[in-house]
Structure formats: C-alpha cells, structure tokens
Amino acid sequence: MAGWLARQLELDDDATATGTEQPGTEATENGADQPAVADDGGSDGDVETVADATNDDGVGQTVVGFEPPVILPVRVRGRYMGLALYYPALAALGLVDVARSVFGLPRSERFGVRAVTLTLLFMTLLSKPPVESAKHLRRAAFGAVVGSGRAPAVKTLRRKLAELVAQNRAGEFGTRLARRWVDSAMVATGYLYIDGHMQQYTGKRRLEKVWNSQRRMPLPGVHTYHVGDGQGRPLLFLTEQLSTNLAKAMPPIVAAIRDVVGERPFTVVFDRGGYDGKLFAWFGEQQIGFITYQRGNPNLPAEVFRRREARFEGRRVRFQVAEDTAKVGGRGPWRRIVVRTADGHQTPILTNLGADSRVPNPERKRLDREIAARRQELAVLKASLGDVLLDEPKTASRSAHGLKIAQRGAVRRLRTLEHDIAALVAARKPLPTHVTITESATTREVIRLEHKAIVDRIKISAYNAEEWLLDRLVNHYPNRNDVRDLLRSFAELTGEIDTTNHGVIVTLDPPDTPTHQRALQGLIDDLNTIGATYPGTDIPVTYRVAMHHSQATT
C-alpha cells in the first residue's frame, strides 16, 4: 500500500489545493482538443431546477440525499469500459451511499454527488487523480460508465468540489466510510499499523514548516498519518498542519480509531517515531495494545537467544529470539522481544501484550447481537399475533378462517425465528468467551485542507476497491507478482455498454494473452455470480467477454 497510496495522496499543485478555477482543454471522442469552458457555465445541466432548501428561519441549507437522475447508456462503445468491473466493489465499499448521506448538491441537474464521487474514483483507478486530468477523458465513454451522459469538464469538477468543501463534512465522510468497511469486514481491526508522512507543499498558501526527513530541513507542508490493517488496506488518515511527532499525534489518532471501531479491541503497530514512555503508559490506561521498536542496541549475550520457527506468507522462517523486560523513561517494565540476525545484529521490539493476551471473542459477540435482534423481532411478532386474536370477532363460523387470513403467514415466520434462535444459541455455546488477540484478528472485521481531505478519502476508497477485486482475480491468475498490474490493465479495456429491457450489459474486448483472457473470464464469472447493479440504481449489470479477433478469424 505504501508506494501506490503514498503517490496518490501527494499534495496537489496550487491550483488544485486552493480550488481556483483554471482554464483548460479536454479531449473529445475523436481526440481533438476543445476549450473546457464549452461544457461549463450551465452546459453540464447545473441550472436551478431545484430551489435552495431553507429551514424555518429562512437560512439556506444543503439538501442531503437529492440526486439528479442516472443517465443510463444506450449502446456506447469506447475506452474505460473495464471500469465497470468495479461496480460490485463499489457496492461493497458503500462509497456512493455514504457520500450521498453526507453531502448534497441540490442545484445539480447532471453532475450530483454520485457522479462527482464516481468521477474522482474512476480517475484514480486510471492513475489520473489530479482534477486537471478530466480534460483528457473521452467524455462519452467515461460518462457511460459513470451514468452522467458525459464526463464533467475540469471547471465543472472544480466547482462541484468547491460546493462539497463548503459543507465542511470531510471528517464525517471519512468516519462513515471507515465504519462501513469495518462492519463489512473489508478492513481487519485486530492490528492497526500507523505510519506518518510529511507531504511537501509548493503552492502559494502559507503553511507551517515541518521537518522533511528526506531533505533534512524544514519545509512548508503537512503531516499525514495513515492507519491500515495488516494486509495494507487503508482504514483512515489524519492530517496535521502543525509540526508534531508521532508520539504527540497518537492520542487524536487513537480517538479517530475509536470513533470507527467502537469498543472492539485493537493493537497499534508503529515505528520509533512514537517511542515514548508516557505514551506507552497511556496505552495501558486505555487498554490498547502496542508494538513498536525500542531505540538503541540491547547488546544481549548470544547464549540467551533461542532458535524459533514460524510460517510467514506461506514460507518457513527461522530466527534467533530472546525475551526479557525493559523500562522506558522510568516507566514500565514492558515485554521486550529481541530478534538476532545471522550477522549478530539485534532488533529489540517492545509491547504491552502478554505471551497469550486474551480479549472478548468477537465471534461470540456477533452471535450475541444476532440472537438479540431475532428475539426482539420475535417479541414484536408475538405482540402482533395477540392483537389479531383480540380483534377477531368471536363467532364460531369465522374465527378459524378469519384468524388464518389475518395472520398472513405470521405463525410460520414465528416458528422460523424460534428455529433460528435455537440454532444461533447452539452455535454460540461451544465458543470460548475470550480468545487471543491473534485469533480475534483472523475475522476481518479537525482537517483544515478540506478539499484534499475529500479527494484523499476517495483515493483510499479506490485502493480498497482494487483490493476487493484482487481477492477474486488471484483465484484465476497464476502469477501473483503482477496480478495488480493485470487488474489495472483491465480497467482500460475497450468495449461496449448497453441498456436493455433486462438491465445493463457490459461487453469487454478481451486482452491478447490467453492467460489474461482466462483470468478476465474467470473474474467476470465470479462477478456475475455475486451480482452487480448500476451505481445509484437497482438495475442489474451483466458482464460479458467479446470473442477475440483471432477466434473470429478461425
């Protein structure tokens, strides 16, 4: 994650960061450059077809939930059709739903929250994250994938982003997204890795100077702290415009994590930037586990090390390990594990986790919630059946027949609920109340630069969408080393997208390499089995692979 995501989250240039409108050009379907202004100033449909909402005091407010109608494609052929492969991933991420629940663009006729969000996400997947890259899009083809008829121009996209920035809800947007990913088990929360980056700023704003470790000098910029799981899937990030270190930034980072994961237990993993005895003690008070490096060389004698073996990424790993305790700044002691390499170098690791730390079993807690929900539904159903019985006329001729009609299958539903509750209680009974942190992790369970905050959260959504598809593509492609590059090549496949009486059909032109063709076909079969809908609608999407020209010739 560090390489791709760090590049995507680089600070934009001054025009992008400040949100000022700059003239530009964009490519039409035939490749000719046209002035970007030709599609702005109302040609995108942003006329006042919906009046500004006002509250009782007459003060204007944003209408959250309003969306222009989706423009379904009618047989459009061109580039970018491979982006439609991401539709099921978008549904799993909940990106569009969350964006529409947080933001509103009530004066839009064509490019609402849905279209703007999808445009930014798909541009990131095409490795064109800057807003200025919109001028290079094939407008009709891109609009067919987004459902806006055509791609927005640069000036339009800037104006829409400025309206979102004015709502000052980027933090809520990120929190709701992260909660969605945790609840749907897209991001694991047992171990969370925290990493800080200084991002240099070269625009015209006057930002605080922060230390740049690469150039070893203070430069204008911001500190960004990323939080992700053990597989590199990003959960959230925080941006600090004032100069600080990881140890001082950790409390607000933990608060942001808590806001997302709730009472779930978690352990934070970080580098020496967070090495601080007071911080370690604070983790203990908050009942949060930590793992980090100890500064310095412990210089333990060779005889205290013992040979250990473990499996890492499918390989057997052997190393020399010693264990003792250590204090930091007069606080502690904390458990220390020292790893010794073949050349004698010793790497000390500090943690407040015991050799067998135990936490509440998340699987048992999940079953508790399901049992409680079904019992509540059962109670409501029993109450409704009681009302039916009381309301039924007391006549022998109508009582039995009328009661069956009034129940409308409620008794059958009641028996089903009772059976489900009994099955869940039986499944919960053998589960231990507490498990180790490792076992619990096996089940994946005030920003000033508002413009950047919104765009960056869409970028990490793009990364997670890519990870969602990779989990399925690896089952059909033997070479894991370049499977990510293969998926990115699929995003730029040409093809055709059409709307029929049975839904939207996406037909992709196959790649030339036979192994790539088989991988694409396998992925498409999986997506058709899962089921996809066109973003913002409940219209089903079906994927197909066209016949390769070599097969057609034969």
Side-chain angles (χ1 to χ4, degrees):
M1 177 186 73
W4 183 88
L5 195 56
R7 290 195 298 272
Q8 299 294 334
L9 298 180
E10 286 293 331
L11 277 177
D12 298 331
D13 60 18
D14 182 54
T16 302
T18 57
T20 55
E21 297 178 355
Q22 299 289 335
T25 60
E26 56 189 317
T28 60
E29 279 298 290
N30 60 10
D33 288 341
Q34 300 290 338
V37 182
D39 188 55
D40 295 310
S43 64
D44 66 348
D46 289 347
V47 295
E48 297 186 23
T49 56
V50 178
D52 289 340
T54 58
N55 56 25
D56 294 337
D57 298 327
V59 180
Q61 60 183 11
T62 301
V63 177
V64 177
F66 167 79
E67 272 296 309
V70 176
I71 301 177
L72 293 173
V74 181
R75 191 159 297 175
V76 177
R77 179 171 181 81
R79 295 174 56 186
Y80 318 126
M81 296 305 163
L83 290 171
L85 294 171
Y86 286 86
Y87 290 166
L90 290 177
L93 286 169
L95 176 63
V96 173
D97 292 339
V98 172
R100 290 176 60 178
S101 69
V102 174
F103 299 109
L105 293 172
R107 292 172 60 85
S108 302
E109 184 177 286
R110 182 184 294 267
F111 301 113
V113 174
R114 185 196 65 87
V116 171
T117 302
L118 290 177
T119 296
L120 294 173
L121 179 122
F122 287 150
M123 287 171 60
T124 301
L125 292 171
L126 293 173
S127 299
K128 302 176 183 292
V131 175
E132 288 80 0
S133 299
K135 63 188 176 185
H136 301 298
L137 296 174
R138 299 276 181 166
R139 307 200 58 207
F142 194 89
V145 179
V146 171
S148 58
R150 60 177 181 267
V154 175
K155 189 174 180 181
T156 301
L157 199 54
R158 285 191 182 281
R159 176 160 44 83
K160 298 294 182 179
L161 272 172
E163 293 182 41
L164 299 181
V165 168
Q167 297 170 35
N168 197 32
R169 303 185 72 179
E172 181 183 355
F173 179 46
T175 300
R176 289 197 187 185
L177 276 176
R179 287 175 181 167
R180 177 74 174 256
W181 300 339
V182 170
D183 291 341
S184 62
M186 293 193 67
V187 178
T189 58
Y191 293 91
L192 294 174
Y193 292 75
I194 301 174
D195 191 17
H197 298 277
M198 183 275 179
Q199 296 182 338
Q200 185 179 351
Y201 179 73
T202 58
K204 297 180 180 179
R205 286 186 177 183
R206 291 190 175 184
L207 296 187
E208 183 84 9
K209 288 187 177 181
V210 296
W211 181 257
N212 187 311
S213 58
Q214 293 181 336
R215 300 184 62 180
R216 303 192 64 79
M217 61 184 299
L219 295 170
V222 295
H223 277 300
T224 302
Y225 298 97
H226 301 271
V227 181
D229 67 5
Q231 295 187 340
R233 293 178 171 87
L235 177 65
L236 56 88
F237 69 91
L238 281 83
T239 300
E240 291 287 343
Q241 206 169 312
L242 298 179
S243 181
T244 186
N245 56 34
L246 181 57
K248 293 180 180 178
M250 192 63 76
I253 294 174
V254 168
I257 295 173
R258 276 284 180 223
D259 196 22
V260 171
V261 305
E263 296 303 316
R264 290 180 176 88
F266 63 91
T267 296
V268 291
V269 186
F270 50 93
D271 60 20
R272 292 180 178 88
Y275 186 78
D276 184 272
K278 292 182 180 179
L279 178 63
F280 299 160
W282 180 79
F283 282 137
E285 296 170 359
Q286 302 296 318
Q287 297 184 338
I288 296 172
F290 76 86
I291 301 174
T292 189
Y293 293 112
Q294 182 186 18
R295 291 178 180 173
N297 191 333
N299 292 319
L300 298 181
E303 56 268 19
V304 302
F305 290 88
R306 297 291 181 267
R307 185 173 181 269
R308 295 288 186 268
E309 291 185 358
R311 297 195 68 82
F312 179 73
E313 294 184 348
R315 297 182 294 109
R316 187 182 299 276
V317 181
R318 299 179 178 87
F319 43 86
Q320 299 287 327
V321 174
E323 183 175 335
D324 59 6
T325 60
K327 289 188 174 183
V328 178
R331 291 176 171 81
W334 288 284
R335 184 182 176 206
R336 180 173 68 175
I337 299 97
V338 183
V339 181
R340 183 176 183 269
T341 60
D343 61 1
H345 178 75
Q346 298 182 10
T347 302
I349 300 170
L350 285 182
T351 180
N352 61 353
L353 302 177
D356 191 23
S357 300
R358 304 183 71 80
V359 297
N361 190 341
E363 179 63 18
R364 190 179 179 94
K365 292 176 67 176
R366 183 187 66 80
L367 290 174
D368 288 342
R369 290 193 296 268
E370 289 191 21
I371 292 171
R374 280 170 171 75
R375 283 176 174 167
Q376 183 178 5
E377 185 178 354
L378 182 64
V380 173
L381 190 58
K382 286 182 176 179
S384 64
L385 282 173
D387 292 340
V388 170
L389 184 60
L390 291 174
D391 294 339
E392 181 65 22
K394 296 180 180 179
T395 59
S397 61
R398 294 185 56 196
S399 180
H401 179 66
L403 191 57
K404 288 182 179 179
I405 295 176
Q407 288 170 355
R408 296 181 180 177
V411 173
R412 186 184 300 109
R413 175 59 181 160
L414 184 146
R415 300 306 178 202
T416 301
L417 281 173
E418 291 177 339
H419 180 270
D420 291 346
I421 292 172
L424 289 171
V425 170
R428 182 185 63 179
K429 186 175 181 179
L431 295 178
T433 58
H434 287 72
V435 295
T436 63
I437 290 182
T438 301
E439 292 171 329
S440 72
T442 56
T443 302
R444 292 194 301 176
E445 302 190 357
V446 171
I447 297 178
R448 302 183 181 183
L449 301 178
E450 189 79 4
H451 176 283
K452 175 176 168 54
I454 294 173
V455 173
D456 283 356
R457 282 173 171 85
I458 295 176
K459 289 177 181 177
I460 65 175
S461 299
Y463 185 89
N464 280 337
E466 191 175 74
E467 287 289 304
W468 190 93
L469 277 180
L470 282 175
D471 287 344
R472 287 140 186 87
L473 182 58
V474 293
N475 298 322
H476 307 287
Y477 190 65
N479 189 351
R480 291 177 174 265
N481 294 326
D482 67 343
V483 66
R484 190 179 297 274
D485 291 335
L486 178 63
L487 179 59
R488 290 173 181 171
S489 71
F490 286 171
E492 299 192 29
L493 286 175
T494 58
E496 183 177 284
I497 185 168
D498 188 21
T499 302
T500 69
N501 294 332
H502 303 289
V504 175
I505 298 177
V506 178
T507 305
L508 300 180
D509 296 336
D512 292 331
T513 307
T515 56
H516 294 177
Q517 294 175 20
R518 291 191 292 270
L520 176 62
Q521 185 63 60
L523 176 62
I524 279 180
D525 291 341
D526 287 351
L527 297 183
N528 284 333
T529 301
I530 293 171
T533 58
Y534 198 81
T537 73
D538 57 358
I539 299 174
V541 174
T542 303
Y543 299 100
R544 296 175 181 173
V545 179
M547 182 180 295
H548 193 264
H549 61 82
S550 61
Q551 297 173 323
T553 303
T554 303

